[in-house]
Amino acid sequence: MFCPECRAEYRAGFTRCSDCHVDLVQELSESDTRVRKAKRETPSTIKSTYREARKTAHWWALYKRQTGTWPWSSIAIHLINWVVILFGGGFLIWWTAEHHLSRWQFLGIFLLIGLPYGVAENSARVNDFETGVREI
């Protein structure tokens, strides 16, 4: 089963794409098999972050229903990610205040740390998207 919008592949038994909310088809037509440019969502707002979190929690619930066990590795990775973001951000703010750094110095340190982290996270997300297969 395939999603005609995002071209994601699903196992038999699924009828709708969890991302696009459209009905799945048995095979992609000639026009659907052409490579499309993927729409990239940037998690720049609280609303999109919340939407992504709901999709992840929904995926975890589907995985639990199908396999009888929770995807513990995925849950652990997400938990560690949020711990790093929240505590790392708090530590950076505290450290900046403790050392009396200016806003520009704080911004430089934030970019030095946050930019590679954001690039790595986005790269992982794009790689998951490009495979197109939901592992449920």
Side-chain angles (χ1 to χ4, degrees):
M1 302 297 291
F2 297 92
C3 173
E5 292 293 319
C6 66
R7 300 177 44 223
E9 183 178 357
Y10 286 83
R11 291 190 324 180
F14 289 92
T15 57
R16 291 183 64 80
C17 178
S18 61
D19 295 331
C20 305
H21 306 290
V22 297
D23 291 330
L24 300 177
V25 296
Q26 281 290 35
E27 48 187 63
L28 295 173
S29 67
E30 185 76 24
S31 61
D32 289 332
T33 56
R34 284 185 274 132
V35 176
R36 294 184 186 176
K37 290 204 176 201
K39 295 181 213 172
R40 290 200 180 169
E41 273 187 40
T42 54
S44 60
T45 64
I46 293 173
K47 186 177 180 181
S48 64
T49 303
Y50 176 74
R51 190 177 325 121
E52 289 295 321
R54 287 191 65 200
K55 284 181 185 179
T56 301
H58 180 70
W59 180 85
W60 289 343
L62 284 173
Y63 187 92
K64 168 75 166 120
R65 266 187 256 138
Q66 289 184 354
T67 65
T69 183
W70 290 100
W72 291 114
S73 60
S74 177
I75 293 170
I77 289 168
H78 279 78
L79 179 64
I80 291 168
N81 184 40
W82 280 106
V83 166
V84 166
I85 289 170
L86 295 175
F87 284 112
F91 175 78
L92 183 59
I93 292 169
W94 170 82
W95 191 80
T96 301
E98 191 70 22
H99 294 280
H100 307 290
L101 299 180
S102 71
R103 289 182 190 153
W104 292 109
Q105 290 170 322
F106 170 79
L107 180 63
I109 292 170
F110 179 78
L111 289 176
L112 185 66
I113 295 168
L115 195 61
Y117 186 81
V119 167
E121 183 181 16
N122 188 48
S123 174
R125 187 172 293 172
V126 167
N127 286 341
D128 288 344
F129 178 77
E130 287 176 351
T131 59
V133 178
R134 306 287 196 276
E135 293 189 21
I136 296 180

